[in-house]
Amino acid sequence: MAEHRRMQRDALLEAARSLLSEGGTEALTFPALAERTGLARSSVYEYFRSRAAVVEELCAVDFPVWAAEVEAAMERAETPEAKVEAYVRRQLDLAGDRRHRAVVAISAGELDAGAREKIRAAHGGLITIIVDALEALGHDEPRLTATLLQGVVDAAVRRIELGAAEDPERITRAAVSMVLHGVGA
């Protein structure tokens, strides 16, 4: 029985990922989850009390995977500059990967305070990954710099998600350049 419940919960989360990546948070509704999984709507409520609860669960499951991928890319880089570039590039690569689109949609969503706090905490964990590289580059306030750097990444992710006129690689190069050289480059 417990295995069956876990499988249904996993199916609901996978359906939520698909809905988020296809239509953002507006597409994530309990009727849509029920339809995608073949469960009754009342069954969906047995697993999650609200859309925000679904998003919170996705944050708990998916953000650590995203962060681990970014961290692995940074570990392969040898210099602080290369680590910063890897941090930016890997996130933008992940944003273009359909499996990770739900993370992007979650980040942009209109949600209740509890879900927003979970997202902030997940982003905080991501920002922590880059602080050491920024310290090594000599930044006096590496945590503040990391937060601002993540803002550049988030803006680039949104630009890629919007299907901007620029090629995603051009957006990535511009984001890396801004992060490493500022606007004077």
Side-chain angles (χ1 to χ4, degrees):
M1 186 66 183
E3 178 67 16
H4 179 69
R5 285 190 60 79
R6 190 185 59 72
M7 287 175 60
Q8 284 188 331
R9 185 179 198 85
D10 290 349
L12 284 165
L13 290 174
E14 191 52 42
R17 283 183 194 97
S18 294
L19 290 165
L20 284 164
S21 66
E22 291 163 16
T25 52
E26 305 79 42
L28 180 60
T29 65
F30 278 30
L33 283 171
E35 184 179 321
R36 289 280 170 109
T37 58
L39 295 171
R41 195 181 319 181
S42 59
S43 295
V44 177
Y45 282 99
E46 289 176 30
Y47 291 91
F48 301 104
R49 68 189 180 288
S50 65
R51 282 181 348 147
V54 176
V55 169
E56 287 176 30
E57 182 74 15
L58 283 173
C59 285
V61 172
D62 291 355
F63 268 103
V65 174
W66 178 288
E69 294 235 11
V70 172
E71 201 162 17
M74 289 176 65
E75 285 170 6
R76 291 188 293 272
E78 294 184 13
T79 66
E81 290 89 349
K83 287 183 184 306
V84 170
E85 181 169 351
Y87 178 86
V88 174
R89 281 190 175 279
R90 190 65 190 127
Q91 285 192 71
L92 297 180
D93 288 346
L94 289 170
D97 181 337
R98 197 188 167 320
R99 291 170 304 152
H100 295 286
R101 282 246 171 76
V103 171
V104 175
I106 288 168
S107 298
E110 295 299 314
L111 299 160
D112 69 24
R116 279 197 311 272
E117 185 49 44
K118 285 268 190 341
I119 292 166
R120 262 195 300 282
H123 272 283
L126 192 58
I127 287 166
T128 300
I129 296 171
I130 195 69
V131 169
D132 288 345
L134 295 171
E135 279 179 346
L137 287 171
H139 284 276
D140 292 337
E141 296 187 65
R143 184 125 188 118
L144 172 60
T145 303
T147 303
L148 297 173
L149 185 161
Q150 186 61 44
V152 171
V153 172
D154 292 345
V157 165
R158 280 191 302 278
R159 188 92 184 150
I160 289 168
E161 281 296 299
L162 287 172
E166 304 90 0
D167 175 64
E169 180 52 32
R170 238 177 102 205
I171 295 168
T172 299
R173 281 195 312 269
V176 167
S177 177
M178 175 162 284
V179 163
L180 290 176
H181 309 294
V183 295

